[in-house]
Amino acid sequence: MNVLFIEDDRMNRRVVRDMLDVAGARMEEAESAEIGLARINAEDFDMILVDLRMPGMDGLTAIGHIRARGDAKGKVPIIVVTADRAVDLRERCLAAGADDVIFKPVAMDALFEAMGRLLASDGDDLI
């Protein structure tokens, strides 16, 4: 499995990379939404994790750009990874095109559970 994590905080990327290593998944990193969108153009990913609050383009805007694609890359499952706990956050993320939302600090079981649900709904094997 090839996962892209769009996240400006290096430590958060490292923590999630360590978790995905346990599952045997490969994680590519993008420290901004703009870099993430460029990586999506250049590579194929099975899943995208995206933070909401980043300098420059925010995560919801990035999700909108991904979903606006007219190709298979625009349909890749997206999980928002955020510290934001706003009451309507989940609804806003889903309305923007995210498939799920998990909260920081990221717990391995929450990450794997969300990924497993999305992969199962696509008919793929669980990690």
Side-chain angles (χ1 to χ4, degrees):
M1 165 171 275
N2 193 20
V3 177
L4 174 64
F5 189 17
I6 304 171
E7 162 69 69
D8 61 312
D9 185 273
R10 185 172 46 98
M11 185 55 70
N12 287 334
R13 293 193 311 265
R14 182 177 176 187
V15 167
V16 171
R17 175 184 293 283
D18 289 347
M19 290 178 190
L20 292 173
D21 282 349
V22 169
R26 185 175 137 231
M27 187 185 100
E28 300 295 328
E29 300 179 17
E31 58 270 10
S32 72
E34 294 84 359
I35 292 170
L37 294 174
R39 300 233 31 199
I40 292 166
N41 283 333
E43 297 178 57
D44 292 327
F45 295 98
D46 301 303
M47 187 161 299
I48 300 167
L49 309 176
V50 62
D51 183 25
L52 290 183
R53 296 178 191 250
M54 296 177 282
M57 184 186 304
D58 69 18
L60 290 180
T61 303
I63 292 168
H65 284 286
I66 295 165
R67 293 299 187 226
R69 297 177 64 103
D71 59 11
K73 292 180 179 192
K75 296 179 176 140
V76 171
I78 299 173
I79 299 173
V80 169
V81 181
T82 184
D84 190 338
R85 300 280 180 153
V87 174
D88 65 341
L89 177 78
R90 183 173 183 75
E91 291 76 23
R92 286 188 291 129
C93 291
L94 297 176
D99 296 291
D100 208 341
V101 178
I102 61 173
F103 298 96
K104 297 176 186 174
V106 177
M108 187 182 297
D109 60 339
L111 176 62
F112 288 175
E113 184 178 307
M115 292 176 73
R117 273 194 311 272
L118 294 175
L119 292 174
S121 70
D122 276 350
D124 293 333
D125 293 330
L126 295 175
I127 56 172

